[in-house]
Amino acid sequence: MHVGIIGVGLMGHGIARNILMRGGFTLSFLDHPGNQPTDDLTSLGASACATPAEIAAIADVVILCVTGSPQVEAIITGENGIASTIKSGAVVVDCSTALPDSTLRMAEIVRQAGGDYIDAPMTRTAKHAHEGTLNLLAGGSAEVLDKVRPVLAAFTEKVDHVGLLGHGHRLKLLHNYVSVGFMTLLAEAAAQAADAEVDPQVFVDVLANGGGASVALDRLAPYIIDQDREGLPFFVSNALKDINYYRDMSKASGARTTVADGVSEALAAPVNDDQGNAFVPELVRLFRKEPDS
């Protein structure tokens, strides 16, 4: 199969490399200023395309790995979008974090144009993308999912079929609400501990040996102890976007958002202070009190 990918950023670059190296597929990617350097991809035989339509005209599988629903909608329905040229029977695999209602609309547009659609957002980090060990939460037809499994196997450790189309994105928002919510709470506690001059190693050890043991602690501990932010290269602005998507999804279904509203408020403060490009572990620093004047 000929594979196309749109979004060769922190996550998409690792996906693209593994499609080429582990999967052995022919690959085309969208040339975009937001891409990571792509010299290694072209050296492995990948080709750059100028528009999503150019990719859709030649690809059997088109992977989307972009920021969110506005970007996905523009890629599919915009001028020179995927829907204008998609091959009959080709499959769009949306690995972005998007709103389920938007996903259903985009899938219907792609189906009307002759293609199929799977929502398959990722869990894990950019490190796992480069290692080819991402996990995917796939929603949609089992038959369509089986059709693209050989491609997905090139960059994943596990692909869970979680239900109907849209359920992949719904579960990703639930997952990120819990994950980002935990890390936001932990960062605020770590900031308070630092303000009180608590030894950071002692703080981490106390949590790790008690009820605070968690993946959130594992990911933030390198920053809490050594100010190493690379354990989770995930922008605060993207964390806020995901929390607000969760709030939108919950409000649309009539669910309560009391805690989510607080997490959103906490994350909005550094974003509004032009710190949106900080990585999530840096919330420990951003949440600290201002020094006395």
Side-chain angles (χ1 to χ4, degrees):
M1 288 184 281
H2 189 135
V3 180
I5 184 167
I6 298 174
V8 187
L10 285 173
M11 302 294 284
H13 188 269
I15 291 172
R17 285 185 72 253
N18 282 301
I19 287 171
L20 289 162
M21 296 181 66
R22 292 180 61 187
F25 295 100
T26 303
L27 180 72
S28 300
F29 64 90
L30 181 67
D31 190 13
H32 190 275
N35 288 347
Q36 294 288 297
T38 56
D39 290 349
D40 59 335
L41 303 181
T42 54
S43 71
L44 291 167
S47 57
C49 294
T51 66
E54 187 178 336
I55 289 177
I58 57 176
D60 302 296
V61 180
V62 182
I63 295 171
L64 309 184
C65 191
V66 295
T67 302
S69 291
Q71 292 77 22
V72 172
E73 292 177 7
I75 287 165
I76 290 172
T77 66
E79 185 179 1
N80 293 315
I82 285 173
S84 65
T85 59
I86 191 167
K87 293 170 61 177
S88 178
V91 181
V92 174
V93 180
D94 184 4
C95 292
S96 310
T97 299
L99 287 162
D101 288 348
S102 173
T103 298
L104 295 177
R105 293 196 307 272
M106 294 304 101
E108 182 58 28
I109 290 169
V110 168
R111 281 197 292 259
Q112 290 291 330
D116 284 307
Y117 206 98
I118 292 287
D119 59 316
M122 306 165 282
T123 61
R124 296 188 162 178
T125 67
K127 175 177 179 288
H128 297 102
H130 282 275
E131 292 172 350
T133 57
L134 289 172
N135 292 334
L136 299 185
L137 306 172
S141 160
E143 181 180 357
V144 176
L145 177 59
D146 286 343
K147 184 176 179 180
V148 299
R149 278 188 186 274
V151 175
L152 305 184
F155 60 91
T156 61
E157 182 173 89
K158 187 178 183 183
V159 178
D160 287 321
H161 185 206
V162 297
L164 301 173
L165 186 70
H167 282 198
H169 282 143
R170 187 170 296 277
L171 280 161
K172 175 62 184 292
L173 294 179
L174 287 161
H175 171 278
N176 277 23
Y177 169 49
V178 173
S179 177
V180 171
F182 280 175
M183 286 187 286
T184 304
L185 182 152
L186 175 57
E188 190 171 87
Q192 202 279 342
D195 288 340
E197 299 184 355
V198 172
D199 184 298
Q201 185 66 66
V202 172
F203 172 76
V204 168
D205 289 345
V206 167
L207 293 180
N209 291 317
S214 61
V215 173
L217 181 63
D218 293 342
R219 289 182 174 172
L220 264 61
Y223 190 87
I224 294 169
I225 297 168
D226 296 318
Q227 290 72 58
D228 178 4
R229 70 175 198 159
E230 298 302 325
L232 185 61
F234 185 53
F235 294 133
V236 173
S237 59
N238 283 341
L240 176 61
K241 180 265 297 182
D242 289 356
I243 292 297
N244 286 340
Y245 275 9
Y246 170 83
R247 293 168 69 221
D248 290 344
M249 177 181 75
S250 297
K251 289 173 182 176
S253 65
R256 64 184 297 164
T257 61
T258 308
V259 176
D261 292 345
V263 175
S264 175
E265 182 180 355
L267 294 173
V271 171
N272 291 338
D273 286 339
D274 295 324
Q275 297 294 321
N277 285 338
F279 289 168
V280 164
E282 294 178 276
L283 289 171
V284 176
R285 168 179 58 83
L286 297 171
F287 286 165
R288 293 195 64 178
K289 69 179 181 181
E290 294 291 333
D292 295 333
S293 56

